[in-house]
Amino acid sequence: MIVVLLGPPGAGKGTQGERIAAALGVPKLATGDVLRAAVKAGTKLGLDAKGFMDRGDLVPDAVILGIMKEALAEPAQAKGVILDGVVRTVPQAEGLAKVTKELGRRVDVVLTFDIADDLLVERLSGRTTCDTCQKPFTGLEPGTKCPEKCGGTLVRRKDDEPEAIRNRLRVYHEQTEPVLGWYVKAGANVRRIDAVGSFDEVTARALAAVGR
Ligand code: AMP
């Protein structure tokens, strides 16, 4: 089962994506995680992507399509994959449709997380993220050792600074929201869920939406 997670930054796609992936027994692919790991490792991909990411802008479609294509061809994803933040523009949705078709597969569910902008600003500005396992936390200061005991340290992501947050939301409304309309028009199985609630409440809604 291929599930595309759509929704603004801070809506909980990452956390819920992990839970959906675990429930379905498939991996999760988050282009944000792939790109942050590349930045940390100092690879060409990372160097190319860093400026866009720090400002809260989108990395060019061609870069994302390359990551998508490579990841979907991996045997580990044969049973399915949860795509978290992987599709953020209409050309990326078109590219994913082409790649899946070539592999004889298709997007089974498009799951959208609905939440108001004010709540997102509050969530993102209070968030720290582990520099190693990438798990997000609220209420823990930068510099704290990661509670997951992965050996990492919590940091404030550059794109969780107020100016970058505002830009990410603007970019989301301008470039990513139209993706939803594109999927509706393409006749995809689009499910909208309320992303406000406890982790468990939102997980229950998400699993129901993917038929679990
Ligand atoms: P995320 O961790 O999903 O919030 O992604 C962090 C940043 O990585 C985004 O603000 C973008 O700069 C970049 N990024 C991740 N996924 C994509 C994508 N599908 N298209 C363009 N840029 C992306």
Side-chain angles (χ1 to χ4, degrees):
M1 178 182 254
I2 299 181
V3 181
V4 169
L5 303 185
L6 286 181
K13 300 187 298 296
T15 306
Q16 297 300 337
E18 291 289 345
R19 290 174 164 215
I20 302 167
L24 298 180
V26 300
K28 183 187 87 153
L29 172 70
T31 29
D33 290 348
V34 173
L35 292 169
R36 272 185 295 279
V39 169
K40 200 173 171 204
T43 62
K44 180 168 185 312
L45 171 64
L47 292 175
D48 290 347
K50 189 174 185 310
F52 295 101
M53 296 174 76
D54 286 350
R55 289 190 298 274
D57 285 333
L58 293 183
V59 169
D61 289 335
V63 174
I64 301 298
L65 288 168
I67 298 174
M68 224 187 243
K69 208 166 175 177
E70 204 174 296
L72 281 169
E74 278 176 20
Q77 308 208 349
K79 197 177 149 204
V81 62
I82 309 300
L83 300 176
D84 160 17
V86 175
V87 184
R88 279 167 136 119
T89 65
V90 168
Q92 291 178 15
E94 290 167 347
L96 176 63
K98 188 162 170 265
V99 171
T100 46
K101 196 169 175 201
E102 279 165 13
L103 294 168
R105 305 173 69 183
R106 67 188 170 92
V107 169
D108 297 283
V109 183
V110 177
L111 185 58
T112 307
F113 291 71
D114 284 333
I115 181 167
D117 281 8
D118 313 3
L119 267 174
L120 296 171
V121 175
E122 204 180 298
R123 276 193 193 182
L124 291 170
S125 49
R127 171 169 95 167
T128 47
T129 305
C130 176
D131 66 356
T132 303
C133 72
Q134 312 237 8
K135 202 170 166 179
F137 296 91
T138 31
L140 293 180
E141 291 301 311
T144 309
K145 286 279 160 221
C146 178
E148 292 295 302
K149 304 207 184 335
C150 64
T153 304
L154 305 190
V155 293
R156 173 98 56 226
R157 277 171 48 174
K158 269 221 175 71
D159 60 351
D160 283 343
E161 302 286 349
E163 198 180 320
I165 292 174
R166 277 192 294 275
N167 190 38
R168 286 161 76 199
L169 288 174
R170 190 169 54 237
V171 166
Y172 172 75
H173 291 302
E174 283 174 15
Q175 300 191 52
T176 308
E177 252 174 10
V179 173
L180 188 58
W182 185 88
Y183 274 119
V184 169
K185 218 166 157 189
N189 180 14
V190 175
R191 300 291 159 111
R192 300 187 79 124
I193 61 161
D194 180 0
V196 183
S198 70
F199 284 144
D200 288 347
E201 281 165 352
V202 179
T203 304
R205 290 173 201 147
L207 290 178
V210 299
R212 289 294 156 128

